[in-house]
Amino acid sequence: MTPDMTWWVRLADSVRAAGRGEAPLDEPVRMVRDGLGFDCATLVGPQRATNGEAQPVLVNLDYPGDAIRFISTTYAVECPAHRYITEHRVAGRFIDLPYDFRSSRTYREALKPNGFHEGLTLPLGVLRHGTPRPGFLALSSTHGRPLSDDSLLALTMLASEIASLTDPRATLPPAPADLVVWVGRGRLDVRVGDLAEGPFTARDTIRIGDLHQRTGAALGFRHREGSRGWWHVTTAPTGDGVLIRVQQAEGDDHLTPRELDVVGLLSRGWTNDEIAAALGISVRTTRTHVESALMKVGVPNRTALTREALLRDLDSLDAIRCVAQASRTSLPA
């Protein structure tokens, strides 16, 4: 099946919209599956170093449970076909393999039992020794017709943009997010990860989106969640909502959560008296936190600390809440 040029342009637009978080991830994946004549499709994200063997399944369109588990584990880890396709960095069909795929464990245990006779894997990254495995798009069909050469080439050329679907974002951060959530109109849509594994409840996540709207600017802050450590949170406008990206992070310079609150407000020009009143602590305690932060960050004065705070997102959710509250009081915002 070979779609015309108009279809490929629409697919590219759909991929970009989902990559920016402006559309659900399954929209372009469904378009690929239906437009290229497959029965099932799955988008599998890159492996994270701490996740063990399984790679995260971001989208599953009609693969049975046993097949999708096999694809995201055994196929991704052990199958020579997957390794061959990933190393060659091109979309691979069964007929492109240098051996009879029907003799493989993947065909015997996952594909044949479900009636699949043809398939394709699109690698979404480069496989390098000692690095986590990249994500991929897998498709299967119950008919035996391989994808045309023209469509194979066009799909391969879109691979770098399709890779953005494994980590939707408005900007290019230094590391993949553990959680990406779209918030708008009082609801949320998880695009990457599991909300239950993140540091915020659904209600708090919606509140972060509201704070973004109220402050009128993208947010970047650090948050400590009990025994699960530190998280780095950023927000960006997208479509008619807000895209919230959350990733685990090291505690910056060993600042305590309260010191981070103080630094966040200090970087906005707040005085010790104003910070103390907003956080409900004494001025003396505020001064102690400032002095401790100066020493930990390694800067000589408040001006230098402000500069470092802006460069390194040394801010907190409580500080941002204080800023939003200050817009209705005499405190500076």
Side-chain angles (χ1 to χ4, degrees):
M1 186 172 186
T2 306
D4 60 21
M5 182 63 70
T6 302
W7 183 88
W8 285 104
V9 171
R10 289 191 291 109
L11 173 61
D13 288 341
S14 179
V15 169
R16 290 163 189 156
R20 293 190 301 265
E22 296 172 357
L25 288 182
D26 64 346
E27 285 188 8
V29 177
R30 191 179 303 277
M31 190 173 178
V32 169
R33 183 196 66 174
D34 298 343
L36 298 183
F38 290 93
D39 296 295
C40 302
T42 182
L43 179 67
V44 179
Q47 183 203 34
R48 301 190 182 98
T50 59
N51 267 18
E53 294 300 322
Q55 293 185 221
V57 177
L58 307 179
V59 175
N60 176 27
L61 300 180
D62 296 329
Y63 272 112
D66 58 342
I68 197 65
R69 284 190 293 272
F70 190 100
I71 289 171
S72 63
T73 54
T74 306
Y75 175 68
V77 177
E78 301 177 11
C79 183
H82 185 268
R83 186 180 307 111
Y84 177 87
I85 291 169
T86 305
E87 288 176 348
H88 283 73
R89 301 176 60 185
V90 296
R93 305 164 294 191
F94 290 180
I95 62 170
D96 298 320
L97 299 173
Y99 61 90
D100 184 357
F101 190 68
R102 289 171 296 182
S103 65
S104 70
R105 179 183 174 188
T106 298
Y107 183 78
R108 294 194 312 270
E109 297 185 16
L111 302 182
K112 184 178 179 180
N114 291 292
F116 299 132
H117 300 292
E118 186 53 61
L120 179 143
T121 295
L122 177 68
L124 302 176
V126 182
L127 183 63
R128 294 190 177 95
H129 179 70
T131 62
R133 291 182 293 274
F136 59 94
L137 177 69
L139 304 113
S140 298
S141 60
T142 55
H143 61 71
R145 300 184 302 276
L147 188 67
S148 70
D149 290 343
D150 289 345
S151 292
L152 188 73
L153 175 60
L155 194 61
T156 298
M157 293 179 68
L158 276 176
S160 61
E161 294 198 67
I162 294 175
S164 70
L165 302 183
T166 66
D167 184 20
R169 56 199 183 270
T171 58
L172 191 62
D178 297 289
L179 178 67
V180 180
V181 183
W182 176 88
V183 174
R185 302 185 298 276
R187 65 180 182 84
L188 61 80
D189 179 18
V190 178
R191 301 287 170 81
V192 171
D194 184 351
L195 190 64
E197 297 297 323
F200 305 111
T201 64
R203 184 176 180 182
D204 284 339
T205 304
I206 291 174
R207 285 176 174 170
I208 292 172
D210 291 341
L211 285 171
H212 172 105
Q213 301 285 15
R214 288 167 61 186
T215 57
L219 307 179
F221 63 93
R222 296 176 183 271
H223 178 76
R224 187 171 187 178
E225 205 281 28
S227 61
R228 290 196 288 174
W230 287 89
W231 303 78
H232 185 216
V233 184
T234 58
T235 69
T238 175
D240 55 353
V242 178
L243 201 65
I244 302 171
R245 302 183 71 258
V246 183
Q247 62 193 70
Q248 289 187 308
E250 296 293 331
D252 201 295
D253 296 303
H254 308 292
L255 293 172
T256 67
R258 182 55 86 193
E259 288 170 351
L260 204 57
D261 296 338
V262 170
V263 171
L265 295 175
L266 178 149
S267 68
R268 293 175 169 88
W270 289 36
T271 67
N272 288 351
D273 288 348
E274 292 161 343
I275 294 172
L279 297 178
I281 58 179
S282 70
V283 175
R284 181 177 179 179
T285 299
T286 300
R287 189 178 301 112
T288 299
H289 287 320
V290 172
E291 292 171 354
S292 176
L294 289 170
M295 180 180 65
K296 290 180 178 180
V297 178
V299 291
N301 52 51
R302 296 168 72 102
T303 300
L305 183 57
T306 294
R307 182 176 61 250
E308 289 298 311
L310 295 176
L311 289 173
R312 292 153 55 178
D313 280 344
L314 300 183
D315 203 357
S316 73
L317 185 55
D318 281 343
I320 294 168
R321 285 174 176 148
C322 290
V323 172
Q325 180 65 30
S327 64
R328 298 191 296 273
T329 70
S330 59
L331 290 177

